[in-house]
Amino acid sequence: EAIFCDLLQGRWNMKKRIAIFGISGSTGQAIVKNGLARDYEIIGLARPSSQLPEENKNVEIVRGELSDREKIIQVVNGSDAVICVLGPRPPFSDLFCGDATAAILQAMQGTGSNRLICVTGAMIGPAENRAFLLDWMANRFMQRAPEAAEDRHRQEDLIMSSGIDWTLVKPPRLTDLAAGDNVSAGSDLRVGWFSKLSRADVAEFCINIFEQNQHVQERVFVTG
């Protein structure tokens, strides 16, 4: 009986585990900071050439390419939630979001992981959520970088048709400011040219909706 109680107590004390794709970026690091503050276990995939802002003994880093399915499985396996903050940088010559997301979804389905939170952006997806100037900018982006826009659209389509418990988080312009107290979120929220949100707020929002099981199978726009 004593052994059973010890085992039961140990089970209830197990830490939550979050897998992060895009862990080397600024938003990924904001999620790491927020997760560690909540005493989560963190694991992430980082490309061999990527530089992490700082090494942390409480964060497990798996080095590998986004095309390495075995490494992706290693990161996903045993995770309570997968948070994807992948994104290409200008001039958008290296497009990988669609293919990487397909591999992540395959790994999740193979390992039984069922909760995915993916940060994309307000300029992808429903036009009715964008005010005039922001929608004009989104159309300009699609005209000037059609392959990058298509890669992002494919990423969202793959997630929405996956059958898992997904959330697409769609912030406008991101900043490095401290977290605020006035974050608005909703599938019908309208964002504009001057809308912005800090990466710290994005991190807080992503982990909150995981903990509270909110916005499941929704494209949710967020702004400060």
Side-chain angles (χ1 to χ4, degrees):
E1 182 178 348
I3 294 175
F4 174 77
C5 290
D6 288 343
L7 289 172
L8 184 62
Q9 184 67 29
R11 174 66 183 88
W12 286 112
N13 287 336
M14 287 178 65
K15 293 182 178 181
K16 293 290 186 182
R17 180 180 172 94
I18 292 178
I20 303 174
F21 290 90
I23 195 169
S24 63
S26 298
T27 305
Q29 285 297 298
I31 293 170
V32 168
K33 182 178 179 180
N34 195 293
L36 291 177
R38 304 187 197 212
D39 200 30
Y40 284 5
E41 290 184 352
I42 306 290
I43 185 171
L45 181 70
R47 289 173 167 179
S49 60
S50 65
Q51 298 294 317
L52 290 168
E54 60 181 84
E55 297 290 340
N56 190 310
K57 65 180 181 179
N58 297 313
V59 179
E60 181 180 351
I61 299 297
V62 176
R63 291 284 182 175
E65 299 292 346
L66 291 167
S67 58
D68 190 331
R69 295 182 182 273
E70 292 302 317
K71 292 294 179 67
I72 291 174
I73 290 171
Q74 181 181 342
V75 173
V76 167
N77 192 32
S79 296
D80 296 287
V82 176
I83 301 180
C84 178
V85 288
L86 295 172
R89 294 184 175 92
F92 306 114
S93 57
D94 181 20
L95 302 177
F96 50 79
C97 291
D99 288 344
T101 299
I104 292 167
L105 289 168
Q106 185 177 47
M108 291 181 68
Q109 291 159 349
T111 60
S113 298
N114 195 52
R115 186 67 172 111
L116 173 65
I117 298 166
C118 181
V119 179
T120 57
M123 291 206 300
I124 300 297
E128 57 267 24
N129 290 86
R130 296 187 291 266
F132 174 77
L133 285 176
L134 187 63
D135 193 49
W136 177 84
M137 180 63 76
N139 288 326
R140 285 284 292 166
F141 173 68
M142 286 186 280
Q143 292 167 6
R144 299 184 66 172
E147 293 180 350
E150 175 56 32
D151 186 48
R152 277 301 205 184
H153 282 294
R154 178 173 172 243
Q155 179 186 34
E156 292 201 351
D157 289 343
L158 285 167
I159 290 170
M160 290 188 293
S161 63
S162 65
I164 64 172
D165 289 344
W166 55 267
T167 304
L168 289 171
V169 179
K170 304 177 70 61
R173 180 169 58 92
L174 293 175
T175 74
D176 292 319
L177 298 174
D181 298 322
N182 298 308
V183 176
S184 299
S187 58
D188 58 353
L189 181 70
R190 193 169 171 82
V191 294
W193 180 265
F194 297 105
S195 299
K196 60 185 178 180
L197 192 67
S198 74
R199 290 178 173 85
D201 281 320
V202 171
E204 180 85 5
F205 180 78
C206 287
I207 297 184
N208 282 347
I209 64 173
F210 158 58
E211 289 185 345
Q212 298 162 20
N213 201 33
Q214 294 177 323
H215 299 293
V216 175
Q217 297 191 344
E218 286 186 22
R219 285 197 286 198
V220 56
F221 287 73
V222 288
T223 189

